């Protein structure tokens, strides 16, 4: 039976592999090629060398969106993971209703980003109207609005991962530290967090990549207002490609730059956190 399964395994994998080639590999290669071309459709692409990349780097709005996105990714990374870890610690204690609280905290993750953006836009503008201002009048209102929105959406998801990590820590290790006289803080920083590093690696990777790739919440909450000052990289690429006639190649070049940045940062983060993982 096992030999038959191994024999026909390539046949079972073939449909998924073909879908991966057609849906990802071919469009990815075409996207890289088009980033070196001037085009309006893929059939009239004309090679122009590095001019699209030069225009992308000369675009001050694109450069601003990079630093704005980087700051957002760092702040959201810290806020989401600190609160999610604290909630996970609280909800793994012996207390009633932990399953209900876990469900409640996880539920915002099930709501789409566009819907969340419009809901929180109404909330924020309702509050700011009391002070004769609005979300779209200040880029930092939009920044902190996005931090609150994304944190509210993602904390519950990260909390579930941290809970799984906490429950995988051997109880005898914690008991041994307690018997040795380690305080609660010492047990947290010397035992719990080192043993939790695989979960921390996953959560940090998801947080930082999601922070850089954020699009739909940014579109619905601020749409880049005021004057594209709250425009993040994904939204800037979208507006360049679809909102500026003749700039399709520049938009594609920005997308390639964006891909390289996200992959590089993700790999650096994985390398930094995995080096601190310990074997249980």
């Amino acid at each position: 039976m096992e030999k038959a399964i191994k024999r026909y395994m390539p046949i079972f994998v073939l449909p998924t592999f073909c879908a991966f080639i057609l849906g990802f590999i071919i469009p990815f290669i075409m996207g890289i090629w088009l980033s070196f071309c001037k085009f309006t459709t893929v059939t009239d692409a004309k090679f122009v060398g590095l001019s699209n990349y030069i225009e992308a780097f000369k675009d001050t709005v694109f450069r601003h969106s990079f630093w704005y996105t980087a700051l957002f990714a760092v702040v959201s990374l810290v806020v989401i993971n600190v609160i999610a870890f604290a909630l996970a610690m609280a909800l793994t204690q012996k207390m009633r209703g932990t399953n209900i609280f876990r469900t409640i905290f996880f539920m915002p993750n099930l709501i789409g980003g566009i819907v969340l953006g419009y809901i929180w836009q109404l909330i924020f503008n309702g509050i700011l109207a009391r002070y004769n201002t609005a979300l779209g009048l200040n880029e930092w209102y939009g920044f902190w609005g996005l931090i609150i929105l994304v944190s509210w959406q993602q904390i519950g998801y990260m909390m579930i991962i941290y809970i799984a990590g906490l429950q995988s820590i051997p109880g005898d290790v914690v008991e041994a530290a307690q018997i040795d006289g380690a305080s609660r803080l010492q047990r947290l920083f010397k035992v719990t967090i080192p043993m939790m590093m695989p979960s921390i690696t996953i959560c940090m990777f998801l947080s930082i990549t999601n922070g850089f790739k954020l699009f739909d919440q940014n579109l619905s909450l601020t749409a880049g207002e005021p004057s594209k000052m709250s425009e993040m990289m994904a939204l800037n690429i979208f507006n360049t490609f679809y909102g500026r006639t003749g700039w399709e190649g520049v938009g594609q070049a920005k997308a390639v730059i964006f891909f390289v940045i996200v992959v590089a940062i993700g790999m650096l983060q994985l390398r930094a956190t995995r080096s601190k993982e310990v074997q249980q």
Side-chain angles (χ1 to χ4, degrees):
M1 185 65 180
E2 292 182 2
K3 291 182 179 180
I5 292 174
K6 291 180 180 179
R7 180 180 179 182
Y8 291 105
M9 185 66 72
I11 298 175
F12 297 137
V13 174
L14 186 61
T16 302
F17 180 72
C18 290
F20 179 73
I21 295 293
L22 293 174
F24 181 79
I25 298 297
I26 293 176
F28 180 76
I29 294 172
M30 289 183 63
I32 294 176
W33 161 249
L34 290 172
S35 70
F36 295 98
C37 300
K38 184 178 179 62
F39 66 95
T40 53
T41 65
V42 294
T43 58
D44 66 355
K46 181 180 178 181
F47 183 76
V48 293
L50 295 173
S51 62
N52 289 332
Y53 288 91
I54 294 171
E55 289 295 329
F57 284 113
K58 286 168 60 178
D59 188 349
T60 56
V61 177
F62 181 62
R63 295 203 301 269
H64 171 79
S65 71
F66 168 73
W67 294 113
Y68 192 82
T69 304
L71 180 61
F72 172 84
V74 172
V75 174
S76 63
L77 169 73
V78 174
V79 172
I80 290 171
N81 285 278
V82 169
I83 297 177
F85 188 83
L87 287 174
M89 292 286 291
L91 295 178
T92 49
Q93 304 301 315
K94 294 180 180 179
M95 56 182 291
R96 291 183 178 181
T98 54
N99 289 333
I100 296 174
F101 285 116
R102 292 178 189 180
T103 303
I104 292 171
F105 285 123
F106 181 77
M107 284 178 65
N109 189 257
L110 304 177
I111 306 174
I114 290 287
V115 176
L116 278 180
Y118 286 122
I119 292 172
W120 279 97
Q121 184 190 79
L122 292 172
I123 294 171
F124 290 136
N125 281 332
I127 295 171
L128 292 172
R130 299 172 64 90
Y131 303 96
N132 297 318
T133 186
L135 199 63
L137 298 178
N138 189 305
E139 63 179 299
W140 297 111
Y141 292 164
F143 178 86
W144 291 109
L146 283 169
I147 291 291
I148 294 171
L149 186 160
V150 172
S151 298
W152 187 77
Q153 182 185 24
Q154 296 184 11
I155 281 172
Y157 185 82
M158 304 303 171
M159 177 198 69
I160 296 298
I161 298 175
Y162 281 131
I163 287 174
L166 285 168
Q167 292 176 338
S168 68
I169 298 176
D172 55 351
V173 175
V174 179
E175 290 176 5
Q178 193 169 3
I179 292 171
D180 289 341
S183 65
R184 182 168 296 183
L185 280 177
Q186 287 174 327
R187 293 199 301 271
L188 174 64
F189 288 102
K190 300 296 184 181
V191 178
T192 303
I193 291 179
M195 300 291 281
M196 283 277 294
M197 282 309 298
S199 296
I200 293 172
T201 297
I202 294 170
C203 289
M204 290 186 67
F205 177 79
L206 292 174
S207 298
I208 200 162
T209 53
N210 288 340
F212 269 94
K213 295 186 300 178
L214 195 73
F215 172 75
D216 44 0
Q217 295 93 330
N218 187 205
L219 175 65
S220 56
L221 188 69
T222 68
E225 296 298 330
S227 302
K228 299 184 179 181
M229 296 302 290
S230 66
E231 188 178 72
M232 299 180 70
M233 289 186 73
L235 182 58
N236 178 271
I237 292 167
F238 175 84
N239 288 334
T240 302
F241 196 96
Y242 293 104
R244 303 176 70 176
T245 304
W247 280 62
E248 290 84 0
V250 178
Q252 190 61 45
K254 288 181 178 182
V256 173
I257 295 169
F258 179 59
F259 169 78
V260 172
I261 290 172
V262 173
V263 170
I265 291 174
M267 293 300 100
L268 288 172
Q269 178 270 316
L270 284 175
R271 183 175 181 180
T273 52
R274 279 182 174 171
S275 64
K276 298 180 181 179
E277 293 181 8
V278 297
Q279 297 294 327
Q280 295 188 17

